[in-house]
Amino acid sequence: MVLVTGGAGYIGSHTCIALHQAGFDFLVFDNLCNSSLESLKRVEKIINKKIKFVEGDIRSKENMQKAFEMYEIDSVIHFAGLKAVGESVELPLKYYDNNINGTLVLLEVMQEYNCKKIVFSSSATVYGDPHTTPIKEDFPLSCTNPYGRTKLFIEEILRDVYRADSDFKIVILRYFNPVGAHQSGTIGEDPNGKPNNLMPFIAQTAVGKHEFLSVFGDDYDTIDGTGVRDYIHVVDLAQGHVNSLQKISSLDGVLTVNLGTGNGYSVLEMVAAFEKASGKKVAYKIAPRREGDIAACFADPAYAKEVLGWSATKELNEMCEDSWRWQSNNPNGYN
Ligand code: NAD
Ligand code: UD1
């Protein structure tokens, strides 16, 4: 049985579908602090199966032990965490407590129940401002905000856990920019309040919730001066977790892998692609650069292919079409 912490969230809910399709039995553990049961209800409809769910907080040893008592858990996919960069600057202790403390409790309980396989959601943010692109896994690591530091610290904690006990099998997945939605249009990304990330902001602008998109800077050293990122379809990303679980037993050491497409698109290219996919106009205005942003960030995806047999399959038009289907069918998200 696979324990999926944070499984009611954006990436977790899509991963539930991929796990089901690959024949894995799983249970979702989530405190619903940034999600609702509605996402899991909709996943149940898609997979036509009831999902095992335990409501709880990863920081609570009792809550975690309850899940391990109820089910025979042999591996964990660990999504649970807070992810808003701006909020992490305002409330660093909240982020260190939730993400780091939560992971420590999870690892302690895993050890207690002799469960030693874990796939962890890291982020390309751990590369800081890369000296060159595409980014390879052995590039130097750094970070510019508390959220990023929680990811980097947890990576280091996992490496220490392996050093102390080489029975542990650990996969660290560094996601680039997840976008898109399941093709049913019934589940997708549902940010709280005004989105910080580009794709949900574009989608909400297209559906009429914002007057225009602010493009953060047009004087970067990129193709058109706007920031370049590696957008990856969330369904491809979900599949990366399935491949990781399929390979994890044969692992030796800690495997750290980029999950990206290897393609970089600028903000203006994203706007144009979204307009094409949706048939809607996305008004935008050039605004000052956002603090902490970098010019370009995209993956070298070769290692993921080599060690996980995984590569992204979905192109930009599909990412935009699927985002639009979700956004236009659910203008207010799950509410
Ligand atoms: P999300 O907020 O949609 O999902 C996270 C889930 O974890 C939510 O359902 C939330 O309720 C749950 N959760 C948070 N704290 C918890 C706690 N203490 N106990 C139990 N459950 C808790 O986010 P997402 O986009 O699905 O991201 C999943 C993971 O991937 C996160 O760790 C995130 O940092 C990481 N990540 C996301 C992105 C991205 O752009 N979405 C990029 C890189 C890495
Ligand atoms: C952001 C986070 C990063 C996190 C990632 C995925 C920051 C500084 N970084 O990265 O830590 O891992 O999300 O969750 O917040 N843009 C606009 N207008 C907008 C929004 C974004 O022009 O309203 C631009 C940005 O300047 C950037 C690109 O769009 O060039 C993508 O932005 P975003 O979706 O926020 O992702 P990242 O900046 O890569």
Side-chain angles (χ1 to χ4, degrees), residues 10-11 30-31 33-35 57-58 79 83 98 147 151 178:
Y10 173 46
I11 305 171
D30 203 303
N31 67 355
C33 69
N34 196 37
S35 55
D57 193 307
I58 52 168
F79 292 110
K83 61 167 184 177
N98 195 80
Y147 164 73
K151 292 295 174 192

Side-chain angles (χ1 to χ4, degrees), residues 5-13 29-36 39 55-60 78-84 97-99 102 120-125 147 150-151 173-179 188-190 197 234 237 241:
T5 75
Y10 173 46
I11 305 171
S13 56
F29 182 96
D30 203 303
N31 67 355
L32 306 175
C33 69
N34 196 37
S35 55
S36 70
S39 64
E55 184 168 346
D57 193 307
I58 52 168
R59 290 167 297 176
S60 156
H78 179 32
F79 292 110
L82 300 174
K83 61 167 184 177
D97 177 42
N98 195 80
N99 294 4
F120 171 62
S121 301
S122 188
S123 165
T125 195
Y147 164 73
T150 68
K151 292 295 174 192
L173 299 176
R174 293 184 180 145
Y175 311 156
F176 282 67
N177 292 53
V179 297
E189 188 172 10
D190 183 16
N197 295 119
V234 64
L237 196 67
H241 296 77

Side-chain angles (χ1 to χ4, degrees), residues 83 85-86 123-125 144-145 147-148 175-178 195-201 213-217 220 226-229 231 267 290-295 297:
K83 61 167 184 177
V85 173
S123 165
T125 195
T144 53
N145 57 68
Y147 164 73
Y175 311 156
F176 282 67
N177 292 53
N196 299 307
N197 295 119
L198 179 66
M199 192 59 146
F201 203 100
L213 164 77
S214 294
V215 175
F216 299 143
Y220 286 105
T226 65
V228 165
R229 297 290 184 274
Y231 299 93
V267 175
R290 178 172 66 180
E291 205 186 312
D293 269 359
I294 56 178
C297 171

